[in-house]
Amino acid sequence: MFEPIGFESIKQWDRAADVVIIGQGVAGTCAALEAHRQGAKVLVIDRASGGGGASALSSGIFYLGGGTAVQEACGYKDSPDDMARFILASMDPLDPAAARDFALGSAEHFDWLEAQGVPFERSCYKGKAVYLNSSECLLGTGNEKLWPFNLAAQPAPRGHKVAGTGEHAGAVAMQALLAKCEEERIDTIYDASAEALITDAKGAVKGVQVRQLGSTMNILAEKAVIVATGGFNFNPDMVKEHFPQLSPTAEALGTPHNTGEGLMLAEAAGATTSGMDGLIATASIYPPAQLIKGIVVNANGERFVAEDSYHGRTAAFIMEQPEQQAYLIVDSEIFAYPDVPTARHELVDGFETVAEMEQRLNIPKGALQRTLDDYNKDAANGEDAYLHKDKEWLKPLDKGPWAAFDISFRKSCYLYITLGGLRTDRFGRCLDHEGKAVPGLYAAGACSAHIPRDGKSYASGMSLGPGSYFGRRAGQHAAGARG
Amino acid sequence: MFEPIGFESIKQWDRAADVVIIGQGVAGTCAALEAHRQGAKVLVIDRASGGGGASALSSGIFYLGGGTAVQEACGYKDSPDDMARFILASMDPLDPAAARDFALGSAEHFDWLEAQGVPFERSCYKGKAVYLNSSECLLGTGNEKLWPFNLAAQPAPRGHKVAGTGEHAGAVAMQALLAKCEEERIDTIYDASAEALITDAKGAVKGVQVRQLGSTMNILAEKAVIVATGGFNFNPDMVKEHFPQLSPTAEALGTPHNTGEGLMLAEAAGATTSGMDGLIATASIYPPAQLIKGIVVNANGERFVAEDSYHGRTAAFIMEQPEQQAYLIVDSEIFAYPDVPTARHELVDGFETVAEMEQRLNIPKGALQRTLDDYNKDAANGEDAYLHKDKEWLKPLDKGPWAAFDISFRKSCYLYITLGGLRTDRFGRCLDHEGKAVPGLYAAGACSAHIPRDGKSYASGMSLGPGSYFGRRAGQHAAGARG
């Protein structure tokens, strides 16, 4: 059903442009601006009745670094090489050349975003947070400070949140970018679904067939089509196929339009995908940061992940535990409720003794006590010899009573996004099985494979950051393609 | 077809033992010796007409460290903590507690192996090799010296090869262990296939139904059954299901008996598996070591893996490249043929110019030249800023003529073993979906999930090392189980 239509079979072209962009989220918008400024006639189509896509619903964090204006203003030293090293060491990227290109171009890209009117404060949030209800910009949003990645590169916060609260920051970013598109009079058609790509006899992509309000339009793309249609979180069949481990309590982030059709259209035209089993899920144990001083254990009462891991990493390890069960254990000194309302982590209870807690959690007798004994000894020594949690978060959990929160994957509510997608090069070109560019076909944003391939290595902002960056690259290259 | 048989339905028991062990490779042998020495009556069965299994066919490398007698004799400092840190940093183990237990017990385990008569020289091979035709013991067999893992733990060679050439070392090890079993009069039945486990009404494993020479035997296991049946490399259906990316030119290592039945019998009795898509494949570019000074590029002429990676890691990255194609590029100064006869890496040709080489390899014009220019600049500076190959292996590849070897996954012969298998705890107990031990059921060796989950993190010796170690643990624990 996603097969491309033959160019020669099209009798009538309803519209024409140099570059046709499917999807007006952050990647599509950035692609449109750059292609337009290269002199290309650009046409953007979107299934929704307005632009923004999942980007506008996001919390507006761009992963950027290498010495951005905000990093400098806040007194953080970062270098393009440190950012590249961190990405290489923690993410084993499929295309290290593209990942490095992103790191090297990142600070300039920040300036570009700001020049488009995307507002960023010169401020930093120093605590541990997942989601900021205030307007501070800079925030540590990944595993930069986590052992062993902190050895590979000088850690620096690289989450750049748009000025606005977490609830609105994504929309603020998209409002600015969409206003720029309007200002530059970039043609846009809403309520328009791409139904098929149009390819010539050589397999080059030459246009898009679009369904809008009951009628079909054929749009000629003189130079290229850029697919920027977002993830496939909202396609139940694909989610079921690629993520059999998902819990019914998990919830997809994004818009209902994120159904993966763009990806399938591109695949049918010869593009390939990568990392389709990649997923980042999150239901953080922090804030407040003091909870990181607790321990996370499985149904056998054993620790399995350093608790100062980025929340997506912790979630990925929880998903692998038996029955995907996990508990956050705290003592009275650090007790607090996890302040992540979406997560719905429930307090199991408070316990006067560890033995009672073991019994209630159905942990084998003595197992949690053993874990606590080992941990407390290490914490007292200031070194977590087992999982290498940073000493900043070490304190013996010996001030009873104790409490346990159920943070199980199948009980709490984990929010997730998909990470796999179309395989692209650093110019945003879709690659075929031989690694060669499919002529006239580009992709950017969440419909293309993310740099991090799984939740263990994801960092918040690795969707908007590379999505906007490679959106621009795709727009620039597409405007020159076959031109 | 692998469903367990009800205990109550068995009318006649042909044999009885405390601990029944299925499979007489390294894990089964070590399990047998330990269970026997705990006072258990042990019975070992094997499908072959003699013991040894895939272990006897292997090159006899045990991954061990933490300050073994050989490491000390050869002047290498290693500590249990360094070994644990290396494993944690490079392998993200599913069960870090078991991985740490292995690191902490590793030096003692070496002594134990030696006490069983497994011979190890007090010698070290200093070069880069995959397979030693000489009898030296110690050899670097993993990513210990590779960035960024070398930052997480003090590197040390941990491959301990049994005294004997690579062709015979596995057999030498198994001869010693089998001789010990014979000396201690451990009962063994050969040519005997386990056809079903026997379980009681509560799901506890109570015995094994065995087919031998046309007749069926019911063997009562008073305490436990230990499955030690090896990997599933030789089960074409399972291989096809779990490794769609395998090349027809790839060849499985092991014996034709490695068909995964033990794993399936255990699964049918309530055990779970983990990491079934894990694979280590190898067709090394070295020795000779000078070839590591070359570069490995894909069909687009781009580097994608540090060439000083462990050969299994390089292979894993090659498998991800477009069409799984890769070339080793060298200049005249380092030219040599890769001395890995099994790999069948073919010389494409020698070339007077890089442009000719690009054309012949069907690499986009100018792409390989760009890669070489960048690399040569970095090499001259003594720092591979892109992929962080150690400076020991950096030299500008500017002494033409150049040569290219085709090391593509679908062209060369990559040897592979499967890494996934039954999920066990540090005592070798099989775990059910809730992470609870299946009563009376243990597993060890290649039928259980390896600590490294993929070729990117594998180290040679991570089959025999943990296989023998957790075989012992299983034997010890099983002898005491329900006892």
Side-chain angles (χ1 to χ4, degrees):
Chain A
M1 64 183 288
F2 297 104
E3 287 308 301
I5 299 171
F7 181 75
E8 289 73 16
S9 72
I10 305 295
K11 304 297 170 214
Q12 185 199 325
W13 295 98
D14 301 286
R15 298 286 292 261
D18 294 321
V19 176
V20 177
I21 299 172
I22 313 175
Q24 204 181 25
V26 76
T29 312
C30 292
L33 288 169
E34 289 285 20
H36 173 75
R37 291 170 192 177
Q38 296 280 323
K41 181 169 158 50
V42 174
L43 175 63
V44 182
I45 63 169
D46 199 289
R47 287 165 82 172
S49 303
S55 310
L57 297 176
S58 78
S59 52
I61 299 173
F62 291 72
Y63 194 90
L64 299 169
T68 65
V70 182
Q71 288 179 315
E72 285 187 8
C74 296
Y76 286 99
K77 282 216 186 319
D78 192 13
S79 72
D81 274 335
D82 271 311
M83 182 169 166
R85 270 196 293 270
F86 171 69
I87 291 176
L88 192 71
S90 67
M91 299 178 192
D92 270 347
L94 185 68
D95 182 349
R100 185 171 170 80
D101 188 69
F102 169 61
L104 267 49
S106 185
E108 181 278 334
H109 181 55
F110 171 83
D111 295 337
W112 183 87
L113 287 167
E114 221 170 29
Q116 308 321 303
V118 182
F120 295 95
E121 283 191 9
R122 296 296 182 268
S123 62
C124 179
Y125 181 81
K126 300 270 183 187
K128 289 284 271 187
V130 173
Y131 184 91
L132 284 183
N133 286 319
S134 50
S135 63
E136 283 102 334
C137 176
L138 204 56
L139 176 71
T141 57
N143 291 306
E144 296 86 359
K145 291 172 78 175
L146 185 74
W147 183 94
F149 311 120
N150 58 354
L151 305 172
Q154 178 67 35
R158 300 196 182 96
H160 287 66
K161 191 176 63 58
V162 173
T165 67
E167 210 172 325
H168 299 114
V172 169
M174 289 312 301
Q175 274 160 12
L177 293 169
L178 291 167
K180 217 35 146 180
C181 289
E182 207 159 321
E183 188 184 315
E184 302 189 14
R185 297 169 182 260
I186 294 171
D187 272 351
T188 310
I189 308 177
Y190 292 114
D191 303 309
S193 265
E195 305 245 298
L197 293 175
I198 298 165
T199 56
D200 69 15
K202 291 177 180 164
V205 175
K206 304 289 284 184
V208 190
Q209 190 168 81
V210 170
R211 187 97 184 144
Q212 191 204 30
L213 306 174
S215 68
T216 296
M217 273 190 294
N218 294 313
I219 304 177
L220 179 66
E222 299 277 4
K223 294 189 171 185
V225 171
I226 301 177
V227 181
T229 50
F232 58 89
N233 309 20
F234 282 83
N235 181 318
D237 290 343
M238 289 176 79
V239 166
K240 201 170 165 185
E241 178 190 349
H242 296 291
F243 312 112
Q245 77 276 32
L246 260 188
S247 161
T249 61
E251 287 181 16
L253 288 170
T255 87
H257 291 303
N258 294 144
T259 50
E261 264 97 345
L263 186 157
M264 291 184 270
L265 293 179
E267 258 195 307
T272 50
T273 60
S274 151
M276 292 296 284
D277 58 350
L279 178 85
I280 151 84
T282 172
S284 184
I285 57 169
Y286 58 80
Q290 71 202 64
L291 290 172
I292 299 170
K293 295 180 181 171
I295 58 171
V296 172
V297 301
N298 63 17
N300 287 317
E302 293 179 340
R303 292 174 71 215
F304 52 87
V305 64
E307 293 82 2
D308 56 344
S309 296
Y310 166 73
H311 48 90
R313 182 170 170 89
T314 300
F317 280 96
I318 289 174
M319 289 167 70
E320 292 181 348
Q321 299 308 305
E323 292 281 281
Q324 304 182 313
Q325 280 179 354
Y327 302 100
L328 169 64
I329 310 292
V330 297
D331 71 0
S332 62
E333 200 171 44
I334 58 166
F335 180 85
Y337 283 87
D339 186 19
V340 186
T342 51
R344 297 183 216 138
H345 294 321
E346 277 177 26
L347 177 69
V348 179
D349 210 344
F351 302 95
E352 289 300 322
T353 68
V354 174
E356 288 169 68
M357 183 155 56
E358 282 173 349
Q359 194 173 15
R360 175 68 178 279
L361 300 180
N362 196 24
I363 286 172
K365 201 165 142 61
L368 182 55
Q369 185 66 63
R370 247 190 328 275
T371 296
L372 275 168
D373 290 348
D374 289 350
Y375 178 78
N376 289 349
K377 206 180 303 166
D378 277 5
N381 290 333
E383 193 194 344
D384 175 16
Y386 177 38
L387 295 173
H388 307 282
K389 176 160 71 168
D390 194 84
K391 62 176 182 297
E392 176 179 3
W393 310 110
L394 292 179
K395 78 131 214 137
L397 298 172
D398 53 6
K399 302 282 187 295
W402 293 267
F405 292 95
D406 191 338
I407 59 172
S408 298
F409 189 66
R410 308 194 84 75
K411 171 104 175 28
S412 296
C413 173
Y414 281 75
L415 306 176
Y416 69 92
I417 59 172
T418 58
L419 297 176
L422 296 165
R423 188 168 185 157
T424 50
D425 67 10
R426 80 193 82 167
F427 306 111
R429 294 184 292 192
C430 287
L431 301 180
D432 67 13
H433 282 287
E434 292 185 8
K436 306 232 175 311
V438 179
L441 189 60
Y442 293 74
C447 66
S448 64
H450 284 65
I451 295 174
R453 311 190 199 194
D454 58 31
K456 286 179 188 168
S457 62
Y458 190 80
S460 291
M462 282 303 281
S463 294
L464 296 188
S468 55
Y469 183 83
F470 290 107
R472 288 177 63 199
R473 286 273 173 279
Q476 289 161 349
H477 202 275
R482 298 205 308 261
Chain B
M1 64 183 285
F2 297 104
E3 286 309 300
I5 299 170
F7 181 75
E8 289 73 16
S9 72
I10 306 295
K11 304 298 168 211
Q12 186 199 325
W13 295 98
D14 300 286
R15 296 287 292 262
D18 293 322
V19 176
V20 177
I21 299 172
I22 313 174
Q24 204 181 24
V26 77
T29 312
C30 292
L33 288 169
E34 288 286 18
H36 172 75
R37 291 170 191 175
Q38 296 282 321
K41 182 172 158 49
V42 173
L43 176 62
V44 182
I45 63 169
D46 199 289
R47 287 165 82 170
S49 303
S55 311
L57 298 176
S58 77
S59 52
I61 298 173
F62 291 72
Y63 194 89
L64 300 168
T68 65
V70 182
Q71 287 179 316
E72 285 187 7
C74 296
Y76 286 99
K77 283 218 186 316
D78 192 13
S79 72
D81 274 335
D82 271 311
M83 181 169 167
R85 270 196 293 270
F86 171 69
I87 291 175
L88 191 71
S90 66
M91 300 179 191
D92 270 346
L94 185 67
D95 182 348
R100 185 170 169 80
D101 188 70
F102 170 61
L104 266 48
S106 184
E108 180 279 333
H109 181 55
F110 171 83
D111 295 338
W112 184 88
L113 286 167
E114 219 168 33
Q116 309 319 304
V118 181
F120 294 95
E121 282 191 10
R122 296 296 182 271
S123 62
C124 180
Y125 182 80
K126 302 270 182 188
K128 289 284 272 187
V130 173
Y131 184 92
L132 284 183
N133 286 321
S134 51
S135 64
E136 282 102 333
C137 178
L138 204 56
L139 176 70
T141 58
N143 291 307
E144 297 85 359
K145 291 171 80 176
L146 184 73
W147 184 93
F149 312 120
N150 58 354
L151 305 173
Q154 178 66 35
R158 299 197 182 97
H160 286 67
K161 191 175 63 56
V162 173
T165 66
E167 209 172 327
H168 298 114
V172 170
M174 289 312 301
Q175 274 159 11
L177 292 169
L178 291 167
K180 216 36 145 180
C181 288
E182 206 159 321
E183 188 186 314
E184 301 189 12
R185 296 168 182 261
I186 294 171
D187 273 351
T188 309
I189 309 177
Y190 293 114
D191 303 308
S193 266
E195 304 246 298
L197 293 174
I198 298 166
T199 56
D200 69 13
K202 290 176 180 164
V205 175
K206 304 289 285 183
V208 189
Q209 191 168 81
V210 170
R211 187 96 183 146
Q212 190 204 30
L213 307 173
S215 69
T216 296
M217 272 190 295
N218 294 313
I219 304 177
L220 179 66
E222 299 276 5
K223 294 188 170 186
V225 170
I226 301 177
V227 181
T229 50
F232 58 89
N233 309 19
F234 282 83
N235 181 318
D237 290 341
M238 289 177 78
V239 166
K240 201 169 165 186
E241 178 189 348
H242 296 291
F243 312 112
Q245 78 276 34
L246 261 187
S247 160
T249 61
E251 286 181 16
L253 288 170
T255 87
H257 292 303
N258 294 145
T259 50
E261 265 97 345
L263 186 158
M264 290 184 270
L265 294 178
E267 259 197 304
T272 49
T273 60
S274 151
M276 293 295 284
D277 58 349
L279 177 86
I280 150 85
T282 172
S284 184
I285 57 168
Y286 58 80
Q290 71 204 63
L291 291 172
I292 300 171
K293 296 180 182 172
I295 58 171
V296 172
V297 301
N298 63 18
N300 288 316
E302 292 180 340
R303 292 174 71 215
F304 52 87
V305 65
E307 293 82 2
D308 57 343
S309 296
Y310 166 73
H311 47 91
R313 183 172 170 87
T314 300
F317 280 96
I318 289 174
M319 289 166 72
E320 292 181 347
Q321 299 309 306
E323 291 281 282
Q324 304 183 312
Q325 281 180 352
Y327 302 100
L328 169 64
I329 310 291
V330 298
D331 71 1
S332 63
E333 199 171 46
I334 58 165
F335 180 85
Y337 283 86
D339 184 19
V340 186
T342 52
R344 297 182 215 137
H345 293 321
E346 278 176 26
L347 176 68
V348 179
D349 210 343
F351 302 94
E352 289 301 320
T353 68
V354 174
E356 288 169 68
M357 183 155 57
E358 281 173 350
Q359 192 172 17
R360 175 66 178 279
L361 301 180
N362 195 22
I363 286 173
K365 200 164 142 64
L368 182 55
Q369 186 65 62
R370 246 191 328 273
T371 296
L372 275 168
D373 289 347
D374 290 348
Y375 178 80
N376 288 349
K377 206 181 303 166
D378 277 5
N381 291 333
E383 193 194 343
D384 175 16
Y386 177 38
L387 294 172
H388 307 282
K389 177 159 72 167
D390 194 84
K391 62 176 181 298
E392 177 179 2
W393 310 110
L394 292 179
K395 78 132 212 135
L397 298 171
D398 53 7
K399 301 283 186 297
W402 293 266
F405 292 95
D406 191 338
I407 60 172
S408 298
F409 189 66
R410 308 194 84 77
K411 172 107 175 24
S412 296
C413 173
Y414 281 75
L415 306 175
Y416 70 91
I417 59 172
T418 59
L419 297 176
L422 296 164
R423 186 167 186 160
T424 50
D425 67 10
R426 79 192 82 168
F427 307 111
R429 294 184 293 193
C430 287
L431 301 180
D432 68 12
H433 281 286
E434 293 185 10
K436 306 234 173 309
V438 178
L441 189 60
Y442 293 74
C447 65
S448 63
H450 284 64
I451 295 174
R453 312 189 198 194
D454 57 33
K456 288 180 188 168
S457 62
Y458 190 80
S460 291
M462 282 303 281
S463 294
L464 295 188
S468 55
Y469 183 83
F470 290 107
R472 288 178 63 200
R473 286 275 175 277
Q476 290 162 349
H477 202 274
R482 299 207 307 261

